[in-house]
Amino acid sequence: MLSDDKAIVLFSGGQDSATCLAWALDRFAHVETLGFDYGQRHAIELTCRDTLRDTMVDQNPQWRDRLGMDHTLDLAVLGQISETALTREAAIEMTESGLPSTFVPGRNLLFLSFAATLAVRRNARHIVTGVCETDYSGYPDCRDDTIKALQVALNLGMETRFVLHTPLMWRDKAQTWQLAEEIGGADLVALINHESHSCYLGDRLHLHEWGYGCGTCPACELRAKGWASYVNA
């Protein structure tokens, strides 16, 4: 039987996954993190993860005993077979399919499948991901229906009883900032603001009131809009 006290958090180093990590640490006795290096243009996000993990437990010592191992999986093959603006030097734009060029087909399906495989080895029943269909770019693998269907498939295919948690599914970016504040106060908000990374172009040179980024890619625009709504609420 998988432990009901253990969780695996898909942790990219971005705003959403950092908020989900805090959410999980607030709920589960043991939490491990999982990141993926898939040849993304913004691979700098992976370098933010250690600072986020370390500072979260400094801010909340109760979490120190709950935060376990960090895992990073090499999924370079995904970048090799994907022709997208996140894995190639290509324009960020809408495509003829109606999906943005930043959509990496199968990405979240693969991430969650690997997370489930790891969860079996780590004896964790709960898997937490920051996917959302309220404020998102139209990615079909971020939808609630997709996640529910995948949970059924994983449990059938692995003879388990995983629970896939999506705490941000029905929250916009302003509400995601608000959730961080509710969990960890102003210190957690400031940490996620300064140390997480969302920019698709990997820009860590330009600091804005909402964090680092180019300021023009869709991820930056969404983050900036959410921050403005949050601070002006």
Side-chain angles (χ1 to χ4, degrees):
M1 296 290 292
L2 298 177
S3 172
D4 209 35
D5 293 329
K6 293 185 178 181
I8 302 288
V9 177
L10 275 67
F11 185 49
S12 67
Q15 175 195 351
D16 293 344
S17 68
T19 305
C20 285
L21 175 56
W23 181 90
L25 287 168
D26 211 35
R27 283 162 176 77
F28 299 104
H30 184 82
V31 176
E32 299 186 9
T33 51
L34 173 61
F36 299 93
D37 185 350
Y38 60 97
Q40 61 267 50
R41 288 171 66 177
H42 57 304
I44 195 169
E45 66 180 357
L46 298 174
T47 69
C48 300
R49 299 164 77 248
D50 286 343
T51 299
L52 288 165
R53 281 172 46 97
D54 292 344
T55 309
M56 276 190 196
V57 296
D58 286 340
Q59 290 181 356
N60 190 333
Q62 181 182 356
W63 291 352
R64 186 173 299 280
D65 291 335
R66 299 181 182 181
L67 184 59
M69 293 178 62
D70 179 47
H71 311 266
T72 303
L73 294 184
D74 181 358
L75 288 188
V77 64
L78 179 59
Q80 293 167 13
I81 63 175
S82 299
E83 292 286 348
T84 78
L86 286 194
T87 55
R88 296 283 191 278
E89 292 291 335
I92 297 176
E93 59 189 4
M94 293 301 295
T95 66
E96 293 181 358
S97 68
L99 294 171
S101 60
T102 51
F103 174 58
V104 182
R107 181 178 60 168
N108 284 324
L109 303 180
L110 287 171
F111 284 2
L112 286 164
S113 295
F114 275 102
T117 301
L118 176 65
V120 171
R121 180 166 68 88
R122 302 302 297 167
N123 192 36
R125 182 177 182 223
H126 300 276
I127 299 170
V128 184
T129 176
V131 296
C132 165
E133 70 168 84
T134 303
D135 256 358
Y136 78 134
S137 300
Y139 299 165
D141 58 358
C142 289
R143 296 173 184 157
D144 189 53
D145 285 348
T146 301
I147 301 303
K148 287 177 177 175
L150 186 57
Q151 176 175 289
V152 171
L154 290 172
N155 284 330
L156 288 173
M158 295 189 181
E159 197 65 35
T160 56
R161 286 295 180 265
F162 292 124
V163 180
L164 303 189
H165 297 272
T166 56
L168 308 183
M169 181 61 73
W170 307 115
R171 300 176 189 268
D172 60 23
K173 280 291 185 286
Q175 292 168 327
T176 299
W177 287 115
Q178 181 61 41
L179 177 61
E181 181 182 334
E182 292 169 2
I183 295 171
D187 287 344
L188 181 60
V189 172
L191 171 64
I192 295 174
N193 181 305
H194 286 89
E195 300 299 339
S196 69
H197 182 86
S198 300
C199 176
Y200 285 154
L201 301 184
D203 188 328
R204 295 292 292 178
L205 297 176
H206 299 94
L207 179 61
H208 310 268
E209 62 179 353
W210 43 265
Y212 285 95
C214 68
T216 58
C217 75
C220 284
E221 290 178 349
L222 192 59
R223 181 161 167 162
K225 179 182 176 182
W227 177 260
S229 296
Y230 163 68
V231 298
N232 293 319

